[in-house]
Amino acid sequence: MSYHIVSIDAPDCSLSCKDGQLTCKSAEGDRRVPLEDVGAIIITSFSASIHSKLLLEAAKYGVGLVICENFKPASLVLPANRATDTLLTRAQAYIPAQLRQRLWQKTIDAKCLNQWSLATELAPDDHRLAKFGALARGRSPSKEAECAKLFWRIFAERVAETDDFRRERKGGGPNNLLNYGYAVLLSTILQNLFAVGLDPTFGIAHVIREQSTPLAYDLMEPFRPCIDWRVAEWIRLHPGEEGMEVTREFRQWVTGFPLATVDWFELTLDVRGVIEGVTRSFRQAVTTAQTGPYRPWTRTTTKWAG
């Protein structure tokens, strides 16, 4: 599979293909990239026009197109040979129970460490951090729930500034901000799953429901603190009740999180690039039936930048 996943977000752009080159024309000028170097094209632009020549040439080169509405994938255009990747589909559908458990454990380990890291940033003098860190690095069967309880208590005190805050899908306070941010994160994960050919309906831990995408929910877990940090910063900059409303300005603020720079092992990338790398590593783990290739993101920089 070719390496590059090309994201198209320029407004009023035109996409076409000439001499094997993907061409994007916009007010910012023309940009070109060889189709042979492209693995997938993600289109989040609200008003892009796509020439039929690009659809045909993309099919010849095995390039998939993910077309989004409000950043959430709405349509998937795949070449016939990629739409019938039976080896990958079979590998996803029949992940051995032990491999599934080990992949999920790596995911939860990363999530808990990231929550502890963010809690340390939000409340560096909190007396619960030592216990939190030990839990995040430990192997307790209830580790995820215990870390979540500690994290949201600290978040409530230092961000929501109330003892009444509870993390709930339909709760008040910062919950609406968090829900919107998680929706943006979920869409970003879905974009990359489709781009590398993974079926998001085959998850490793989240429950399968009608029209659900459990794998996207699985892989987004370590990145949730990126949204938590983004929301915490927004509330700090906008104190009071108005800071709890999902305004147009907040939507613009939170949708910018994929461009924040973070470290991922020995690389420094934006969050969008890290999500792509994690998705690819998961794909390799599934196709090889090994946990080694899978590398969920864990924050390593001294300054939280999610």
Side-chain angles (χ1 to χ4, degrees), residues 122-198:
L122 295 174
D125 57 346
D126 195 285
H127 68 279
R128 293 164 290 192
L129 290 176
K131 177 183 178 180
F132 197 163
L135 278 170
R137 292 186 292 267
R139 282 290 180 266
S140 169
S142 57
K143 163 179 176 170
E144 182 184 10
E146 292 182 74
C147 285
K149 180 184 286 187
L150 282 171
F151 175 76
W152 290 116
R153 282 179 179 173
I154 293 173
F155 188 93
E157 295 171 9
R158 299 302 177 102
V159 179
E161 297 183 347
T162 175
D163 294 332
D164 297 332
F165 173 74
R166 297 291 183 272
R167 173 62 197 133
E168 298 174 348
R169 186 181 299 273
K170 297 182 180 180
N175 277 301
N176 289 336
L177 305 179
L178 292 165
N179 291 339
Y180 188 90
Y182 292 152
V184 175
L185 172 60
L186 178 65
S187 296
T188 306
I189 298 288
L190 276 171
Q191 292 169 16
N192 282 272
L193 287 175
F194 285 130
V196 303
L198 286 167

Side-chain angles (χ1 to χ4, degrees), residues 3-298:
Y3 178 74
H4 298 293
I5 294 179
V6 179
S7 295
I8 307 293
D9 54 13
D12 299 318
C13 63
S14 174
L15 302 176
S16 59
C17 180
K18 184 177 181 180
D19 299 327
Q21 299 276 322
L22 166 64
T23 303
C24 177
K25 296 183 178 179
S26 68
E28 299 176 356
D30 295 358
R31 295 188 179 182
R32 294 180 174 84
V33 62
L35 268 178
E36 63 182 359
D37 294 336
V38 175
I41 303 169
I42 299 173
I43 303 171
T44 57
S45 172
F46 294 103
S47 54
S49 61
I50 306 173
H51 197 282
S52 60
K53 178 69 171 178
L54 174 60
L55 298 177
L56 293 173
E57 292 299 314
K60 292 178 184 178
Y61 283 95
V63 178
L65 279 77
V66 183
I67 304 173
C68 304
E69 181 181 24
N70 295 327
F71 301 101
K72 185 176 182 179
S75 175
L76 184 62
V77 183
L78 286 178
N81 63 338
R82 279 190 59 182
T84 55
D85 190 346
T86 52
L87 291 178
L88 177 58
T89 302
R90 182 180 293 274
Q92 272 196 270
Y94 298 103
I95 299 177
Q98 185 178 14
L99 176 61
R100 189 188 306 273
Q101 182 178 2
R102 291 168 63 191
L103 290 170
W104 180 239
Q105 187 62 58
K106 291 183 75 170
T107 304
I108 290 305
D109 288 347
K111 176 188 179 181
C112 291
L113 285 170
N114 288 339
Q115 285 182 321
W116 168 72
S117 171
L118 179 51
T120 302
E121 184 79 18
L122 295 174
D125 57 346
D126 195 285
H127 68 279
R128 293 164 290 192
L129 290 176
K131 177 183 178 180
F132 197 163
L135 278 170
R137 292 186 292 267
R139 282 290 180 266
S140 169
S142 57
K143 163 179 176 170
E144 182 184 10
E146 292 182 74
C147 285
K149 180 184 286 187
L150 282 171
F151 175 76
W152 290 116
R153 282 179 179 173
I154 293 173
F155 188 93
E157 295 171 9
R158 299 302 177 102
V159 179
E161 297 183 347
T162 175
D163 294 332
D164 297 332
F165 173 74
R166 297 291 183 272
R167 173 62 197 133
E168 298 174 348
R169 186 181 299 273
K170 297 182 180 180
N175 277 301
N176 289 336
L177 305 179
L178 292 165
N179 291 339
Y180 188 90
Y182 292 152
V184 175
L185 172 60
L186 178 65
S187 296
T188 306
I189 298 288
L190 276 171
Q191 292 169 16
N192 282 272
L193 287 175
F194 285 130
V196 303
L198 286 167
D199 188 333
T201 62
F202 292 110
I204 55 175
H206 279 81
V207 177
I208 298 175
R209 298 187 301 272
E210 184 179 2
Q211 294 184 339
S212 67
T213 54
L215 183 57
Y217 285 101
D218 292 335
L219 297 190
M220 73 183 279
E221 292 294 341
F223 293 98
R224 285 182 181 269
C226 288
I227 299 300
D228 304 334
W229 171 248
R230 200 80 173 174
V231 169
E233 280 290 279
W234 175 262
I235 293 174
R236 183 182 66 82
L237 295 170
H238 302 80
E241 290 297 323
E242 292 183 0
M244 302 295 180
E245 297 178 3
V246 180
T247 62
R248 179 180 180 183
E249 290 73 18
F250 171 76
R251 290 195 294 268
Q252 292 175 336
W253 165 267
V254 79
T255 53
F257 92 91
L259 301 180
T261 302
V262 295
D263 282 356
W264 185 51
F265 294 89
E266 298 180 357
L267 301 173
T268 299
L269 304 168
D270 57 33
V271 174
R272 183 172 57 187
V274 175
I275 289 175
E276 178 186 335
V278 170
T279 306
R280 288 181 181 277
S281 75
F282 183 85
R283 184 186 194 277
Q284 186 178 0
V286 169
T287 55
T288 61
Q290 300 289 331
T291 58
Y294 177 43
R295 304 198 299 174
W297 173 69
T298 305

